[in-house]
Amino acid sequence: MGTDYRLVCLMALLMCVQPDECTEIIGGKEVRPHSLPYMALLENAKGAPFCGGTLIDLRWVLTAAHCTNVKKVLLGVHSLSKPEKVYRQTRKVAHKFPHPCYDADSKTNDLMLLKLDRKAKTTGAVHPLPLPSPTQDIPAGVACTIAGWGYTKNGGKMSDTLLRANVTVIGRDVCNSKDYYNLNPVITRDMLCAGFVDKTPVDTCSGDSGGPLVCQGVIRGVTSFGAACGMKKKPGVYAALSKKHTEWIHKKIKI
């Protein structure tokens, strides 16, 4: 990467204090087994599940850049405790490509592409979710879904089965306001806030990082960060698949 590009990345970073990480499904319900065939479960070097991802091509998985220690990708998973040999496909990570402008402090550009050592096989339990075409920004009030095997409560443990929940996009003006994140960090146009608008807590939390935010059947974000899980005024924040981000992905995987 050239010096000029590094300078552009550096200038784009926002100097913000990072909030505590929080990436699990709060208030989720178990999905019908293998009904989300694009979901990927990531394992670290110790063979423990710790992040999620999205199969966007038979050779590529999209996740969060802060999921740094991923070694294997499991596809066709519903239950962590059951072998599911008929459905599961395991792939090693051949190459990791974090976004070149990812910043661990401000969480900007929290995206990473994983190139699998060999293509996944399309089945009823394993199927890619295509990337969106460049579209307009997602407005506040749009209903979306989150999914993952993350914690179901603060200080809990990973869910044994895949859970899904509905969240609502919250405007950046609200999310940046004093009562919410108070510009710490700044929620940029390359991020999306999504949470709950009634009294029932719904959120992502530890273990769900890298999983998809799906709006109107299209992946529009990647689970990135939040404060304490399930707080109405500290909703989950997602790396948005903005035009800039989707162009980077397409260029990298050439699809």
Side-chain angles (χ1 to χ4, degrees):
M1 183 171 14
T3 302
D4 291 343
Y5 191 46
R6 288 182 182 275
L7 181 60
V8 170
C9 291
L10 183 61
M11 292 175 64
L13 297 179
L14 298 165
M15 302 306 292
C16 307
V17 178
Q18 175 182 339
D20 294 334
E21 285 191 17
C22 170
T23 44
E24 80 185 271
I25 299 293
I26 301 290
K29 295 182 179 180
E30 182 178 352
V31 305
R32 178 170 54 83
H34 314 295
S35 60
L36 303 179
Y38 49 82
M39 288 296 299
L41 180 65
L42 310 187
E43 287 187 349
N44 61 24
K46 296 181 179 180
F50 76 111
C51 274
T54 306
L55 186 70
I56 58 171
D57 178 78
L58 293 179
R59 194 75 185 270
W60 294 89
V61 167
L62 177 65
T63 188
H66 73 267
C67 296
T68 56
N69 197 29
V70 55
K71 298 297 181 182
K72 288 184 180 180
V73 173
L74 278 62
L75 305 168
V77 177
H78 179 69
S79 169
L80 301 184
S81 63
K82 297 179 181 179
E84 303 176 319
K85 293 182 180 180
V86 176
Y87 303 102
R88 285 198 187 190
Q89 299 179 37
T90 302
R91 299 291 185 269
K92 295 180 180 179
V93 176
H95 299 286
K96 293 182 286 187
F97 299 97
H99 193 284
C101 291
Y102 168 61
D103 178 67
D105 292 326
S106 66
K107 292 293 190 182
T108 50
N109 306 302
D110 190 11
L111 297 171
M112 180 165 62
L113 287 165
L114 304 175
K115 187 175 184 180
L116 308 181
D117 63 338
R118 54 196 175 92
K119 287 184 177 182
K121 181 181 178 181
T122 300
T123 66
V126 177
H127 196 282
L129 182 64
L131 289 171
S133 301
T135 58
Q136 294 182 344
D137 192 24
I138 299 292
V142 171
C144 303
T145 60
I146 50 177
W149 294 267
Y151 293 14
T152 56
K153 62 181 180 180
N154 285 290
K157 61 181 181 179
M158 297 280 285
S159 170
D160 180 64
T161 56
L162 181 60
L163 303 180
R164 177 169 61 180
N166 297 323
V167 291
T168 301
V169 174
I170 298 169
R172 294 183 187 89
D173 55 341
V174 174
C175 218
N176 276 316
S177 68
K178 184 177 181 180
D179 289 339
Y180 281 69
Y181 280 101
N182 195 27
L183 302 177
N184 186 17
V186 174
I187 309 303
T188 73
R189 290 194 62 81
D190 290 317
M191 298 176 182
L192 287 169
C193 280
F196 59 100
V197 295
D198 55 18
K199 296 182 179 180
T200 304
V202 179
D203 200 2
T204 49
C205 206
S206 295
D208 288 329
S209 287
L213 176 74
V214 177
C215 308
Q216 299 168 332
V218 178
I219 180 172
R220 298 306 303 264
V222 169
T223 304
S224 181
F225 69 92
C229 306
M231 295 179 63
K232 189 171 186 177
K233 293 188 176 181
K234 292 291 186 292
V237 183
Y238 303 81
L241 292 191
S242 60
K243 184 174 184 292
K244 179 180 74 174
H245 283 157
T246 54
E247 286 176 349
W248 169 73
I249 295 169
H250 279 295
K251 182 179 180 181
K252 205 68 186 176
I253 68 179
K254 296 181 175 59
I255 61 172

